[in-house]
Each structure stands twice: as C-alpha cells, then as structure tokens.
Amino acid sequence: MTTLFIATGNAHKVEEIRQVLGGSVTVLSQRDANVRLEVEETGATFRENSGIKAVTWAGYLAVDVCNLGADYVLADDSGLEVDALGGAPGVHSARFAALDDGRKGNSSDAENNAKLLRLLAGVPAGKRTARFRCVLSLTPILHGESPAAMAAATEFFDGTCEGRLLEAPSGAGGFGYDPLFIPEGYDRTFGELGPEVKNRLSHRARALVALRGRWGR
Ligand code: IMP
C-alpha cells in the first residue's frame, strides 16, 4: 500500500486527512515518525507554500538515514479568504494576529478569531462572506534525486468551501476559524457541525477527494 508522510505539525489537519483518506493509503505523521523540521512559508500563494513544504520535506526524507518507508510527502497549505477584507487573512491565516506586532511564528486560534471579529465589526450579515481554501501538494520521495527533480514531479490538488462568518464564536469542534464559519447551505458553524459533516464539505475534504481520484479510489 502507498505510504504518505504528512508534512504538518497541525494535529487537526492530520486527523482530518486520516479520516477522509480512510484505509486507502497508509498515513504517517511527524509525530509517528518522531521527526521535526521548521519550514519557512515564504510563498505568496497557497500553492507556492504548499509546494515549498512538500518539496523541503521530500528533500529531507530522501537523504535521511532514518528511512521511514514513505513513498510521498503530502503537504497542506490552507486558510480563510474574507471578501470584506479583500481576501485577507489568506496565506497569513495561521499568523494573522502576530502580523500586527511583528511576532515570529503562528498566533493562537483565539487571537486570530478575535482580530477577525474586530476587523469585521459593523459589517452586516449579508457582507460577511468568506471561503476556506486548501492546496495539497503530493511530492514523490525520490532517493538519490535532487529537490528540483522532486519539485518537477509534484502534483497539486485544490479544494474550496464557501460560507459566511458569524459575529461571535460558536461551537468547540474543529480548529482555527471553524467556530466562526458557517458553510453554505447550513446554519451552524464547523465548530458545531462536528467532524463527520466537516469532512464531507470542507476545503480539505474536497482537495483530498481529488487526491484520492488520482489513485482511482
Ligand atoms: P497553514 O498551516 O500555514 O496552512 O495555516 C493554516 C491556517 O488556516 C490555520 O492555522 C487556520 O488558522 C486556518 N485554517 C486552515 N484550515 C482550516 C480549517 O479547516 N478550519 C479552520 N481554520 C483553518
């Protein structure tokens, strides 16, 4: 069976990826493999950042002595685009609050949500439209090949999920902006709807279904 190494330290993302892919592939996380690598996300788009993460990890695992037996790296870059904010926070979703004081690293979900609500104060319900976007990158781990060769062999899978933002958080499920986001066609947030519903509708679920299609599963 194909083994994917998931290039994220976000345990929520790993869990969602596992749930959507089910038993069709073997999924290894950084925690399973006990490896860590900080990858700087210097790209301007989800696709660029997703590719940077996948190729950096593939380069590392292709030469690393601890042979994990993974065939591919799967990276996820994702975030929220808010129409009333011209598409922000976008690629800055994870460090949205930290941008204000030049802090390094990601902000807490609570800080990011508070900033988002502050910026949207007074924006009426009909104008609080937003979408989650996810780009998955699948990079083969080619032992003995250059990172450039692995970059050239990388495939991308996209998913989006349209919705709108509440004026206060609701629900304790999921992560990130989930307690504020109501997906189109529903009247409760991802934080309230639970993993079964989220993993049918989300940006990540949609990108994963496209990835599964690659193997005809
Ligand atoms: P990344 O790890 O650089 O891709 O940053 C992703 C950030 O986007 C997360 O830290 C969240 O703030 C946000 N995000 C991405 N996917 C989701 C989701 O499924 N629900 C809620 N927030 C999300």
Side-chain angles (χ1 to χ4, degrees):
M1 195 187 283
T2 307
T3 299
L4 303 184
F5 177 85
I6 312 298
T8 181
N10 181 327
H12 297 282
K13 285 187 182 178
V14 174
E15 192 50 36
E16 291 183 6
I17 290 169
R18 278 214 165 99
Q19 282 177 16
V20 177
L21 291 180
S24 58
V25 290
T26 303
V27 171
L28 272 182
S29 71
Q30 291 181 36
R31 180 183 280 189
D32 301 324
N34 199 21
V35 283
R36 261 197 86 72
L37 185 66
E38 286 304 325
V39 182
E40 219 183 319
E41 297 180 26
T42 52
T45 61
F46 294 118
R47 185 182 167 111
E48 277 173 19
N49 282 332
S50 182
I52 289 169
K53 289 187 254 193
V55 173
T56 307
W57 268 102
Y60 175 73
L61 296 176
V63 296
D64 188 30
V65 281
C66 70
N67 189 349
L68 298 179
D71 304 298
Y72 294 88
V73 172
L74 182 69
D76 164 310
D77 200 65
S78 48
L80 182 71
E81 294 176 348
V82 181
D83 293 322
L85 303 179
V91 293
H92 303 302
S93 292
R95 54 183 190 278
F96 192 35
L99 292 180
D100 296 339
D101 49 23
R103 253 182 300 156
K104 270 214 156 260
N106 294 341
S107 324
S108 71
D109 291 342
E111 288 173 311
N112 287 333
N113 284 332
K115 176 173 178 183
L116 187 59
L117 288 178
R118 210 166 53 243
L119 294 181
L120 288 179
V123 176
K127 295 220 157 98
R128 298 174 78 95
T129 49
R131 72 203 50 74
F132 278 122
R133 207 178 274 288
C134 172
V135 179
L136 297 174
S137 300
L138 184 72
T139 302
I141 300 170
L142 303 174
H143 297 276
E145 295 278 355
S146 68
M150 291 186 261
T154 296
E155 296 169 62
F156 299 92
F157 305 88
D158 297 359
T160 57
C161 179
E162 299 287 336
R164 63 195 165 85
L165 297 165
L166 276 185
E167 292 183 357
S170 189
F175 71 100
Y177 300 95
D178 280 347
L180 293 177
F181 185 86
I182 299 189
E184 219 169 60
Y186 288 76
D187 56 9
R188 285 183 297 156
T189 67
F190 269 154
E192 297 168 298
L193 288 167
E196 206 264 318
V197 177
K198 184 180 177 191
N199 289 335
R200 268 191 285 121
L201 314 174
S202 82
H203 49 313
R204 184 163 300 104
R206 289 180 171 146
L208 286 164
V209 167
L211 168 75
R212 246 176 21 201
R214 179 195 185 277
W215 281 295
R217 292 167 186 144

